[in-house]
């Protein structure tokens, strides 16, 4: 059905100082925004996420993170720094990040979502060992997006290639003044003494998995993140622990009864032998597999 204002042309006529002028019709703007939203690569699980559907409860650090994220998306593109949402899995970090992305894209700006592991996988799959470069059609949209959401930062085991690739992406966007929204499950522990103390408590002797964001992404990357992002760290109950979608009362009660949470143990890349079963247990660098198609990581 054609728009009654522009009759399907996408242009509206209006008078300015007695002269007829034309401007884009609102129907054209809405259609263009929907096209940009379809190109943003938001996973199906999070496609309907926005600030209105985010269930909140009395939790001041989370409320602060939501306020900051709303202001960031409302002010965009007139912003100086990006955002890094930090906290354990299942507390709504991805929901908030996608809400920011949707708000920005619906303004008519180009945004892009990537899970960090998926981005690195796509770059590996197109990697040319001769030219030591990846196909431009993967990397260029990541560099050029007005807003990039990188979900689950630090989920990939840190190697020289991972560190260099992530630093290239982040540093290029920083130099081009293109903001980025990150999420991560790893706490921002920067003091070496605090880090050692936390590691002694939280990390089993046979587990070499880093427990801090700085360990997980590398010192150089962490320093750049500190410069380009506002760190918003909070905790809360895991939305996925409920048999039904939780409401504010469910979350408030779970938050009041909260117990300390930590990341699940991840396997290392070295094979190990189960002494009791005599079976070979191969490590998996990506951590514990998701429980459903499409994954649940990063929220």
């Amino acid at each position: 059905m054609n728009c009654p204002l522009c009759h399907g042309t996408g242009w509206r006529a209006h008078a300015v100082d007695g002269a007829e002028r034309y401007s884009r019709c609102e129907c054209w703007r809405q259609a263009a925004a929907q096209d940009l939203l379809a190109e943003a690569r938001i996973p199906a699980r999070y496609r309907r996420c926005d600030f209105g559907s985010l269930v909140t409860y009395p939790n001041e650090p989370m409320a602060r993170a939501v306020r900051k994220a709303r202001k960031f998306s409302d002010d965009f593109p007139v912003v100086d720094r990006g955002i890094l949402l930090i906290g354990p899995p299942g507390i709504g970090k991805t929901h908030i990040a996608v809400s920011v992305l949707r708000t920005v894209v619906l303004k008519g700006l180009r945004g892009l979502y990537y899970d960090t592991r998926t981005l690195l996988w796509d770059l590996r799959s197109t990697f040319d060992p001769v030219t030591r470069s990846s196909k431009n059609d993967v990397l260029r949209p990541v560099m050029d997006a007005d807003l990039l959401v990188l979900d689950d930062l630090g989920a990939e085991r840190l190697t020289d290639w991972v560190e260099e690739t992530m630093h290239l992406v982040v540093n290029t966007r920083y130099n081009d003044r293109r903001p980025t929204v990150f999420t991560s499950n790893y706490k921002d522990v920067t003091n070496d003494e605090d880090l050692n103390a936390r590691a002694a408590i939280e990390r089993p002797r046979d587990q070499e998995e880093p427990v801090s964001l700085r360990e997980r992404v590398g010192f150089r990357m962490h320093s750049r993140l500190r410069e380009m992002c506002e760190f918003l760290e909070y905790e809360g109950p895991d939305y996925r622990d409920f048999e039904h979608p939780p409401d504010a009362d469910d979350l408030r009660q779970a938050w009041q009864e909260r117990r300390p949470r930590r990341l699940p143990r991840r396997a290392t890349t070295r094979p190990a032998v189960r002494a009791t079963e005599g079976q070979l247990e191969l490590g998996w660098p990506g951590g514990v597999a998701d429980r459903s198609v499409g994954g649940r990581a990063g929220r």
Side-chain angles (χ1 to χ4, degrees):
M1 180 177 179
N2 286 340
C3 173
L5 300 177
C6 69
H7 305 289
T9 65
W11 294 93
R12 288 185 59 187
H14 54 93
V16 178
D17 297 331
E20 191 174 54
R21 297 287 186 268
Y22 288 87
S23 62
R24 281 296 187 184
C25 183
E26 185 61 27
C27 72
W28 181 88
R29 297 180 188 279
Q30 292 177 358
Q34 290 300 318
D35 289 341
L36 289 173
L37 200 58
E39 296 171 1
R41 292 180 55 97
I42 299 174
R45 182 180 298 277
Y46 303 114
R47 206 159 287 161
R48 297 182 181 275
C49 289
D50 56 29
F51 286 113
S53 62
L54 179 66
V55 180
T56 59
Y57 55 98
N59 179 343
E60 179 51 36
M62 179 183 183
R64 177 177 178 271
V66 174
R67 287 196 303 269
K68 293 279 189 177
R70 278 183 178 271
K71 179 172 174 50
F72 175 88
S73 58
D74 290 341
D75 293 347
F76 198 91
V78 188
V79 294
D80 295 325
R81 306 170 72 196
I83 290 175
L84 173 53
L85 296 161
I86 300 174
I91 61 173
K93 301 188 303 297
T94 300
H95 191 131
I96 295 173
V98 170
S99 299
V100 171
L101 182 61
R102 282 180 58 87
T103 302
V104 168
V105 170
L106 290 176
K107 292 181 179 183
L109 298 166
R110 194 170 299 277
L112 189 64
Y113 170 97
Y114 252 112
D115 182 282
T116 303
R117 290 164 297 185
T118 304
L119 173 60
L120 292 170
W121 175 270
D122 287 351
L123 291 174
R124 280 195 193 97
S125 66
T126 60
F127 186 69
D128 187 341
V130 177
T131 62
R132 300 188 63 80
S133 62
S134 294
K135 287 184 179 178
N136 197 50
D137 57 355
V138 174
L139 200 54
R140 184 50 54 193
V142 174
M143 302 294 200
D144 291 346
D146 295 315
L147 177 65
L148 173 67
V149 170
L150 273 181
D151 202 9
D152 214 1
L153 183 67
E156 186 78 3
R157 185 174 64 88
L158 189 64
T159 64
D160 289 344
W161 183 85
V162 168
E163 185 174 15
E164 290 300 320
T165 300
M166 291 302 299
H167 189 76
L168 171 65
V169 170
V170 171
N171 201 56
T172 299
R173 291 188 56 81
Y174 173 80
N175 290 335
D176 291 343
R177 304 184 69 86
R178 299 185 188 275
T180 306
V181 173
F182 302 89
T183 75
S184 179
N185 294 331
Y186 290 90
K187 291 179 177 293
D188 181 41
V189 183
T190 56
N191 182 278
D192 289 334
E193 293 182 2
D194 290 344
L195 181 61
N196 292 335
R198 186 184 299 275
I201 296 173
E202 296 189 359
R203 188 189 306 171
R205 292 183 178 180
D206 60 344
Q207 182 181 348
E208 298 182 1
E209 181 70 18
V211 294
S212 78
L213 179 65
R214 189 176 69 176
E215 280 186 295
R216 196 63 187 173
V217 302
F219 179 83
R220 181 174 56 159
M221 177 78 159
H222 182 267
S223 177
R224 178 62 80 204
L225 290 171
R226 271 289 178 188
E227 186 176 4
M228 66 186 290
C229 289
E230 181 173 9
F231 282 35
L232 301 175
E233 188 166 353
Y234 71 99
E235 296 187 2
D238 191 334
Y239 285 68
R240 306 184 194 103
D241 284 345
F242 297 86
E243 296 180 357
H244 55 83
D247 58 22
D249 289 337
D250 295 327
L251 294 169
R252 177 184 55 79
Q253 181 176 355
W255 180 234
Q256 291 174 344
E257 300 172 353
R258 63 188 180 274
R259 296 180 177 84
R261 295 176 58 193
R262 63 189 182 194
L263 288 175
R265 177 178 177 180
R266 293 173 182 253
T268 65
T269 55
R270 294 192 299 270
V273 177
R274 297 176 180 172
T276 57
E277 302 178 11
Q279 297 176 345
L280 183 65
E281 182 181 4
L282 296 179
W284 173 248
V288 178
D290 295 335
R291 291 176 288 178
S292 64
V293 176
R296 291 174 174 244
R299 276 202 57 166

